[in-house]
């Protein structure tokens, strides 16, 4: 679970609801018509902007905003060095069995390509294209939430304009002007809230998660190609650690020292 | 038919009209003068910004927003491999007949260039220039809709200012102030709606469609050059599949397995 | 004459004036003081931003917004191939006479450099620097109109603030409030109109014209260097046609077929 | 201490408080509910956008806004040349002792890598990756303050909308309208102040500090690699001084002249 | 003197003051408190964003907005060719005396480096780093004025919010509402004016001046390296003229013709 996301949503919602409740009934801020215009309008305009499958897919990615990554980079490096040791001692074909137990599909696919004896250039080509598509898909999900973050306030304004125009056409009853204008402003309130409390922050966290995953996959590609080239596991380790932030790297070194012999599968 | 576009437009229009109808007669939101300023002004200012043929052409591209692409990438790859098999078995000249039956003009043109014995460098040059021009045309169409999306709210504001200035010059009759101001706001309503419900989403979908088409054409160029170089159809297939998203690629592989022998023309 | 520019300005002005006239006398929208602040202020601030000669020069470029380019790319290619034929048959020195009759100064300059026996690298260097300066000048003119498009609404707002502050200081006479506020809004109206109906569209069209001219000059440079290298006119033609949009190219090919023999000077 | 930061915060706060105090009691501008929405909302939305550790870390970097850098570039160059002299006279291994006394961890790490006999390519790789991570961390801290600078006014607007909607729902008591609207505007006041007086300026200064530190580290990398390559200390000095601004460089040269012999450890 | 800057400031100020004076006493637009918030606040927030020396330095660069460059590019080229002739006839060491008389410190420094027999690669390195620092300093000065142009309207809005909140808290005396709101708007007026009439235009002109100076210095570097390489003065002239705009270049050629023999020191 991503503590920051949970804390941000729960505390933020509490602050806003507390501030609203302090000044009057919450019911003043709930209006079905206004939701229809802002939420419905924003979703529809986003649906026009993107293909249906990408639109639907983006909502599935929201779960990444609440989860932290399962695979630690140090874990990945250890696994790759384990594979390198196997390949060194028993040959590339021995990787088939080890590959079958890997739970990361990207790494597994790379191992299978190596076992199949695929040309190194083609291995890099296939894995990097796959990485480019993963990155593209991530960018699209972020883009959809950014688009909704832009459209939200716009449909909020459209709703407010509708309310204002209707109010101005029936000024006969002065006592209804205030509440009518209040209702008109609710759509702008919804739109601003959706954009700044939901869509933009989600797009931001998705971007962070994407950067982490891409880095991991780059470590995998580099490691796989080094295994295929038959490089020394020690040197592979040095190469891969250069991808890590100095903090994580020193953590890795300490652990190794503690474990005594280093990494052996 | 692009379901997302249709759904987006129909549902979105329904939401907005429903919300309007809930608060008063729809007639309050229809004003000929306001349309003239916002729609007319936006179109005229866009016409000054772009050459006439590009302006007119951009409206023709709107149909792509409602259609999904006819050619699947898997289909294209199969066709190219079919051509590669013909070229391998019967020689490059045998492609002339096969080329005549291709319905995609870009692919057909490439085949004809190969049959003519054009220098490979020139083939790539011509096809890539053609692709650059196609991309440029796509960008221009998107740009025209983005320009209209910026100008719409601006002319909406111009209309509202006209209405406000006129209203403020004749404050004698207080009962007319409300409706006059309501009418003044209609142009801003039109401008915001045109920008956020029509122009920006259309520009967004056009961008998506363009990316798909460019990718397809890049696959074609790579395939054609490989055919001309006399490469093995199996290797061509591997190379082209690297352009596909992993999802489509695995779909392709499954189909191949089901069909048994793979792709042969 | 550029039909789109004329149509855009005439129709757009008609729409705006028609909408204004429908709601009251046009005189309400004419105010000398407001023009002074918005037009004068915008021009003065732009003058501070740019050197005087570039500021004045930008207004001269407005004529390009109303004209279509005189030289067709097909025409230029024919001329270059004509020159290539002369150079092939009679030698580079024979180009001197032909060069004297060229009306495009850029092409003429290039021919003279070749006749002078200038080193090919220096020819490319000089012509590309010249092209870079032309492009820079175009960018500056667009930039000046974009700057005015940003400053216009800003000075409109400054004028409206002046009017509002003055109105709020003398609220004694309620009957004058409306008209005073109306006049205050006129500067914002002017500023928005200048930006969105005049400056931004002019900057847009200038950008389009610039792209066309740069492409033409790139064709010329490529052609001149090929002539100097003594390449075959047929191959030069193929090379230059790759710069054209496929539409123009196929038009060129059809014409050639109709003319029978192709291009000979 | 960074005089500009202190002066800016103290004087700016004085100006704003002075201007407020001139027009009425300061108490009018303090509202707990408004703080909750703006400060709380902004922090929560930022927490959703970023991982928790980076969010917390960014607040630790604020101290750099108040400090000036401790290491002068001239000091660093002297130290590197001192190391170069040791390496020249006593060999690379003699650096171990000198390295232990360096207080800059980046420089120390580089020296240890050299003493360990690490391959020069790997030394550069490790140090540059470390530098890239440092730069990435700096960018993230700036990004977090920029995000808060964008979210501040947005939550200010959300607060004002809440206040306005509540006020418009209870217009019965005209005497409370003014103060209620005043309170509603306080959130916008907070949001604008937080963005323009605190967050954006902090992000700006962090960017400046980052550029200074990155430059220093680049000097170190270049120097360390030159030492490892066994280059002449004089030439190393010339190379490193090219990284300095001309002003600092001439200051360095003057000092050297005054010190007579130049730099020797 | 830069005529455009003077004219822009004088005429612009006249237009604004004239428009203000037409509608009421100028005194309505002068308010000490408002100046404190807008000018003081903007300067303080900018001081937080930048180091103190860069902040102060940026105000010194304002003089460049009023001056035109002293060194014409044609003048510089003549001088370099003069130096090239001396170097050719009397050797590089003879440049020492000529170098001492040069009033441009950048050119002088380059000549001294050559006389000292510095390695050509190091000469280029040192001069280009110096140029990069000059460019960086220019960018920083522009950036400081752009920052002030963004902060000005923000502090204007902060001042207006302060005024509005205070006014809304004391609505008892209706006759004071108007003037109080008028005073509140003065800060927005100041902020908009400072941004659009002073800061942005100054940043714009500084950018133009910077581009001119950078171009001149690039000509110098190219010239100095050619002198060091012992190239023929005629060829150096051709090379350097390629940096000039065609207009200036043809002016240079005409002058040469008039002077008869060309350039000799």
């Amino acid at each position: 679970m991503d503590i920051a996301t949970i804390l941000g949503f729960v505390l933020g919602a509490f602050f806003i609801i507390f501030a609203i409740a302090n000044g009057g009934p919450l019911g003043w801020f709930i209006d079905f018509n206004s939701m229809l215009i802002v939420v419905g309008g924003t979703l529809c305009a986003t649906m026009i902007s993107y293909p249906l499958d990408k639109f639907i897919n983006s909502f599935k990615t929201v779960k990444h905003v609440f989860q932290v990554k399962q695979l630690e980079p140090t874990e990945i490096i250890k696994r790759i060095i384990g594979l390198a040791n196997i390949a060194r001692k028993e040959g590339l074909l021995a990787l088939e069995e080890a590959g079958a137990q890997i739970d990361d599909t990207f790494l597994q696919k790379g191992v299978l390509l190596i076992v199949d004896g695929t040309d190194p250039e083609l291995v890099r080509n296939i894995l990097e294209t796959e990485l480019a598509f993963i990155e593209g898909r991530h960018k699209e999900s972020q883009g959809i939430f950014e688009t909704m973050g832009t459209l939200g306030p716009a449909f909020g304004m459209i709703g407010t304009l509708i309310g204002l125009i209707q109010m101005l056409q029936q000024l006969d009853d002065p006592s209804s002007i205030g509440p009518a204008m209040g209702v008109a402003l609710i759509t702008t309130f919804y739109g601003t809230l959706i954009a700044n409390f939901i869509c933009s922050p989600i797009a931001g966290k998705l971007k962070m998660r994407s950067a982490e995953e891409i880095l991991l996959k780059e470590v995998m590609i580099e490691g796989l190609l080094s295994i295929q080239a038959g490089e020394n596991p020690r040197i592979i380790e040095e190469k891969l650690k250069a991808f890590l932030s100095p903090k994580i790297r020193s953590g890795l070194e300490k652990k190794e020292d503690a474990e005594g012999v280093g990494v052996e599968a």
Side-chain angles (χ1 to χ4, degrees), chain A:
Chain A
M1 294 291 281
D2 186 321
I3 281 293
T5 306
I6 311 282
L7 217 68
F9 273 127
V10 171
L11 264 183
F14 173 75
F15 288 157
I16 293 163
I17 291 169
F18 179 84
I20 290 177
N22 251 10
L26 284 174
W28 285 349
F29 289 82
I30 294 166
D31 186 69
F32 178 69
N33 249 2
S34 304
M35 275 185 202
L36 215 63
I37 291 184
V38 179
V39 179
T42 301
L43 288 177
C44 287
T46 309
M47 227 151 75
I48 304 173
S49 302
Y50 287 90
L52 195 57
D53 56 335
K54 288 174 184 173
F55 177 69
I56 292 170
N57 193 57
S58 76
F59 290 101
K60 296 191 191 144
T61 62
V62 174
K63 66 168 187 281
H64 296 302
V65 169
F66 290 94
Q67 297 168 342
V68 289
K69 58 180 185 293
Q70 297 108 328
L71 272 175
E72 287 297 315
T74 52
E75 202 54 41
I76 282 292
I77 290 183
K78 282 198 180 174
R79 233 174 263 197
I80 288 170
I81 293 171
L83 292 171
N85 278 317
I86 295 173
R88 267 233 139 174
K89 291 179 197 149
E90 311 171 35
L92 285 175
L93 288 179
L95 288 175
E96 188 151 28
E97 202 187 338
Q101 294 162 4
I102 298 170
D103 47 2
D104 183 274
T105 54
F106 187 85
L107 187 56
Q108 192 176 38
K109 175 162 197 176
V111 169
L112 292 182
L113 282 169
I114 292 177
V115 172
D116 284 358
T118 319
D119 181 73
E121 204 44 50
L122 196 57
V123 173
R124 175 183 286 278
N125 202 344
I126 288 173
L127 293 179
E128 282 184 347
T129 311
E130 185 133 355
L131 188 54
F133 275 105
I134 291 172
E135 203 172 356
R137 260 197 325 269
H138 289 179
K139 283 243 171 71
E140 260 163 22
S141 289
Q142 295 161 34
I144 286 171
F145 279 98
E146 279 163 10
T147 301
M148 288 197 288
T150 314
L151 288 170
F155 276 91
M157 196 185 156
I158 287 171
T160 298
L161 285 166
I162 292 174
L164 284 178
I165 292 169
Q166 286 173 340
M167 184 202 77
L168 288 163
Q169 292 285 3
Q170 40 190 345
L171 287 177
D172 318 325
D173 174 15
S175 77
S176 76
I177 296 178
M181 213 172 134
V183 171
L185 286 180
I186 287 179
T187 52
T188 296
F189 171 69
Y190 285 171
T192 317
L193 203 61
I194 286 174
N196 292 290
F197 186 52
I198 301 181
C199 295
S200 301
I202 285 181
K205 183 79 77 153
L206 283 178
K207 201 177 166 185
M208 288 284 144
R209 288 281 172 272
S210 171
E212 285 165 3
E213 194 181 332
I214 299 298
L215 184 69
L216 264 191
K217 298 249 184 300
E218 279 171 356
V219 169
M220 291 180 194
I221 292 177
E222 214 52 51
L224 286 165
L225 290 170
S226 298
I227 291 174
Q228 196 175 20
E231 288 180 16
N232 186 310
R234 269 274 143 206
I235 288 176
I236 296 179
E237 195 183 348
E238 282 304 314
K239 263 169 91 172
L240 298 188
K241 282 197 323 205
F243 279 90
L244 301 181
S245 81
K247 214 178 183 178
I248 298 177
R249 212 187 305 157
S250 66
L252 187 65
E253 274 154 16
K254 260 176 227 146
K255 245 195 266 171
E256 273 175 42
D257 291 349
E259 287 175 23
V261 215
V263 274
E264 294 264 333

